Amino acid sequence: MLLRFRQERGLTHEVLAERSGLHPTTISLLERGKRQPSLGTIFMLAAGLAVEPERLVREVRKLRPKLPV
């Protein structure tokens, strides 16, 4: 999902990292599912991608099974 958002905007890991204040390695780890983002990281990524944080969360929810209530 993060990879798709980044590629749709034509951004490299380095550019997204600069815009979001994260390290390029962190971007790569998140895209490959090797690291889970904290809430703060989601907000940083959203700022770097110029999207609302809620949109990122909604996209992640689509990929995950529903959690029991």
Side-chain angles (χ1 to χ4, degrees), residues 37-47 53-54 56-57 60:
S38 67
L39 183 58
T41 300
I42 290 171
F43 275 81
M44 294 170 80
L45 288 167
E54 295 83 3
L56 292 180
V57 172
V60 169

